[in-house]
């Protein structure tokens, strides 16, 4: 609402209305004992006190403490100057300020203000008892205290309701922030997964194609049959890599494109085919598999396959001519161990540290299952990659 966005307008109307009522009663003063208005002479002191009490209502929400104590000062001024006639419509500003402190400030400030109001009420009752006798003292105290109590309870209710709504809004903002963060994390994780898949597929395929192309170029004139076989391997590898790329690109498409075809993910059972392909491109590989590898969880099986694929790809690229590799995959009761070794140069890109993302991708895959990965040169030459993956439900070895 417009008034809620501009609270000073409503407060100004409230102050104007209260001032009009107060001005109308300036010809008489309310006597709480006789419960009637009695004639009194108007004065500039009364007008000044009324303005001091009512005018701060305009800024009561922007500066609640200052406005409250200016109003209190106006009440004291009227009490001093008018004595038994200090109670008039403008006095309701004191109760309104008590309500304002409860809703716009702290309870400690409101308690201090209420204490001053109680002291002022007792002083007013003392003045009235001197005019009409001590018997009127409790009755004079009860009226203002009852009004202040009503405004206090109203302020407590409104303040508690505002605090509740503020807490609910804060929790909603927090939940929305957490939802956005979880969505961002999910996007990053999916992008990393796709990046790993792309690296494994492309790096393996391109490495095979490069090795075969180099071999074909050397054998083109001396042995055309070997060159033709190498070109066939390049063609077959390229087609399969293209199929994998299409599958991964299909994952990135919109959900509405439901006609995208997805190739099945490889697992440990496809290691024999992978090793055979590496042999065809000129890397002698010996594969040893022990234990039941047929019923591995899909994610674990894919991780085993990608680890062996990446390790053999690195061997093909960096081990040098004449190198051979050995792959050992063994399953125990609570874990599966993968080890790939070669007898090549024992270096990656001419150094002991790889400049690519292959080892990083392997570590990320192993970390997903709380596993352990070791990769580095072997004593005596060659390279060794060893990973231990705990099976689901088991702790890391």
């Amino acid at each position: 609402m417009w008034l809620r966005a501009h609270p000073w307008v409503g407060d100004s109307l409230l102050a104007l209305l209260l001032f009009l009522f107060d001005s109308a009663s300036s010809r008489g003063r309310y006597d709480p004992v006789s419960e009637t208005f009695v004639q009194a002479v108007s004065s500039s002191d009364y007008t000044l006190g009324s303005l001091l009490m009512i005018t701060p209502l305009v800024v009561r929400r922007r500066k609640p403490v200052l406005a409250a104590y200016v109003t209190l000062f106006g009440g004291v001024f009227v009490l001093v100057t008018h004595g038994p006639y200090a109670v008039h419509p403008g006095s309701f500003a004191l109760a309104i300020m008590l309500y304002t402190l409860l809703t716009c400030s702290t309870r400690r400030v409101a308690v201090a203000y209420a204490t001053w109001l109680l002291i002022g009420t007792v002083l007013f009752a003392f003045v009235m008892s001197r005019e009409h006798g001590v018997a009127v003292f409790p009755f004079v105290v009860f009226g203002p205290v009852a009004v202040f109590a009503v405004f206090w309870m109203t302020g407590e209710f409104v303040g508690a309701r505002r605090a509740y709504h503020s807490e609910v809004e804060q929790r909603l903002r927090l939940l929305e922030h957490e939802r956005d963060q979880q969505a961002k994390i999910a996007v990053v994780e999916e992008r990393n997964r796709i990046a790993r898949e792309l690296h494994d597929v492309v790096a393996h395929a391109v490495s095979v194609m490069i090795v075969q192309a180099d071999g074909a170029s050397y054998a083109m004139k001396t042995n055309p049959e070997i060159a033709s076989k190498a070109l066939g391997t390049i063609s077959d590898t390229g087609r399969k890599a293209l199929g994998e790329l299409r599958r991964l690109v299909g994952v990135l498409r919109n959900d509405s494109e439901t006609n995208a075809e997805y190739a099945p993910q490889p697992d440990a059972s496809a290691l024999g085919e992978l090793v055979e392909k590496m042999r065809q491109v000129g890397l002698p590989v010996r594969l040893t598999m022990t234990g039941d590898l047929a019923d591995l969880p899909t994610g674990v099986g894919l991780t085993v396959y990608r680890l062996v694929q990446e390790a053999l790809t690195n061997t093909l690229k960096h081990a040098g001519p004449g190198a051979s590799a050995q792959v050992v995959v063994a399953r125990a009761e609570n874990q599966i161990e993968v080890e790939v070794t070669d007898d090549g140069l024992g270096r990656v890109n001419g150094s002991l540290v790889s400049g690519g993302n292959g080892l990083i991708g392997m570590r990320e895959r192993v970390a997903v299952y709380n596993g352990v990965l070791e990769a580095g040169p072997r004593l005596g030459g060659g390279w060794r990659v060893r990973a231990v993956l705990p099976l689901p439900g088991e702790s890391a070895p």
Side-chain angles (χ1 to χ4, degrees):
M1 293 178 60
W2 186 84
L3 284 178
R4 182 173 296 181
H6 303 80
W8 63 271
V9 177
D11 292 337
S12 298
L13 293 176
L14 175 63
L16 178 61
L17 183 63
L18 191 60
F19 183 77
L20 292 177
F21 274 103
D22 195 64
S23 299
S25 65
S26 62
R27 293 172 297 177
R29 304 292 182 266
Y30 180 73
D31 187 352
V33 177
S34 61
E35 297 183 352
T36 59
F37 280 92
V38 297
Q39 190 69 26
V41 179
S42 60
S43 66
S44 59
D45 293 339
Y46 175 82
T47 304
L48 178 59
S50 180
L51 289 175
L52 287 173
M53 295 178 66
I54 298 174
T55 304
L57 291 175
V58 178
V59 294
R60 67 185 183 92
R61 304 193 199 194
R62 287 180 290 179
K63 298 183 179 297
V65 178
L66 176 62
Y69 279 94
V70 171
T71 299
L72 181 63
F73 177 77
V76 174
F77 180 82
V78 173
L79 179 62
V80 172
T81 56
H82 291 75
Y85 305 108
V87 175
H88 51 87
S91 301
F92 276 98
L94 296 169
I96 295 174
M97 286 301 179
L98 179 61
Y99 164 85
T100 302
L101 291 178
L102 285 169
T103 56
C104 301
S105 185
T106 62
R107 182 177 284 106
R108 178 179 298 179
V109 175
V111 169
Y113 189 76
T115 302
W116 286 110
L117 291 180
L118 182 60
I119 294 174
T121 301
V122 172
L123 292 176
F124 174 70
F126 178 75
V127 173
M128 292 298 296
S129 64
R130 294 183 62 182
E131 292 284 335
H132 302 281
V134 181
V136 303
F137 186 89
F139 299 99
V140 175
V141 171
F142 176 77
V145 169
V147 174
F148 295 147
V150 171
F151 277 82
W152 177 280
M153 289 186 293
T154 305
E156 286 281 2
F157 174 77
V158 174
R161 186 175 180 180
R162 289 181 180 177
Y164 171 76
H165 284 294
S166 177
E167 183 178 358
V168 170
E169 291 177 358
Q170 184 177 2
R171 289 185 178 181
L172 289 176
R173 287 193 296 268
L174 181 61
L175 289 175
E176 184 177 358
H177 177 72
E178 290 180 353
R179 182 193 63 187
D180 294 340
Q181 291 298 318
Q182 290 175 357
K184 291 180 181 179
I185 293 174
V187 170
V188 172
E189 290 179 349
E190 184 64 14
R191 289 178 62 183
N192 290 336
R193 185 187 70 82
I194 295 174
R196 288 194 299 266
E197 291 292 320
L198 284 172
H199 176 270
D200 292 342
V201 172
V202 175
H204 172 73
V206 172
S207 298
V208 172
M209 294 168 68
I210 290 174
V211 171
Q212 292 296 300
D214 291 341
S217 64
Y218 286 114
M220 184 68 70
K221 296 180 180 180
T222 59
N223 196 333
E225 183 179 353
I226 294 179
S228 176
K229 184 178 179 181
L231 293 175
T233 302
I234 292 173
S235 177
D236 182 64
T237 303
R239 287 191 179 93
K240 290 184 178 180
L242 182 60
E244 286 286 324
L245 289 175
R246 286 176 176 173
R247 178 183 67 83
L248 292 174
V249 171
V251 175
L252 300 176
R253 293 177 180 173
N254 296 330
D255 296 338
S256 58
E257 299 183 19
T258 57
N259 295 327
E261 297 182 358
Y262 304 105
Q265 294 276 23
D267 54 17
S269 62
L271 289 177
E273 181 181 355
L274 173 64
V275 168
E276 185 62 30
K277 290 180 181 179
M278 300 304 294
R279 290 170 180 166
Q280 292 176 3
V281 300
L283 177 65
V285 182
R286 184 172 60 184
L287 174 64
T288 303
M289 302 174 65
T290 59
D292 186 9
L293 303 177
D295 61 343
L296 287 177
T298 303
V300 176
L302 175 61
T303 300
V304 171
Y305 181 90
R306 294 305 188 196
L307 290 175
V308 175
Q309 182 186 48
E310 179 61 29
L312 292 178
T313 300
N314 287 336
T315 298
L316 185 65
K317 291 191 296 183
H318 308 296
S324 61
Q326 180 175 354
V327 179
V328 177
V329 181
R331 176 178 179 177
E333 293 183 0
N334 61 348
Q335 67 182 34
I336 181 168
E337 180 178 351
V338 180
E339 185 178 54
V340 181
T341 58
D342 64 61
D343 55 0
L345 299 177
R347 293 175 178 268
V348 178
N349 292 334
S351 65
L352 295 177
V353 181
S354 173
N357 296 319
L359 293 178
I360 296 176
M362 286 193 288
R363 293 189 187 281
E364 290 179 351
R365 288 184 181 276
V366 172
V368 170
Y369 296 97
N370 296 323
V372 177
L373 177 71
E374 300 173 0
R378 299 167 57 196
L379 294 177
W383 193 268
R384 175 175 177 266
V385 175
R386 178 178 177 271
V388 180
L389 301 173
L391 296 178
E394 304 292 341
S395 58

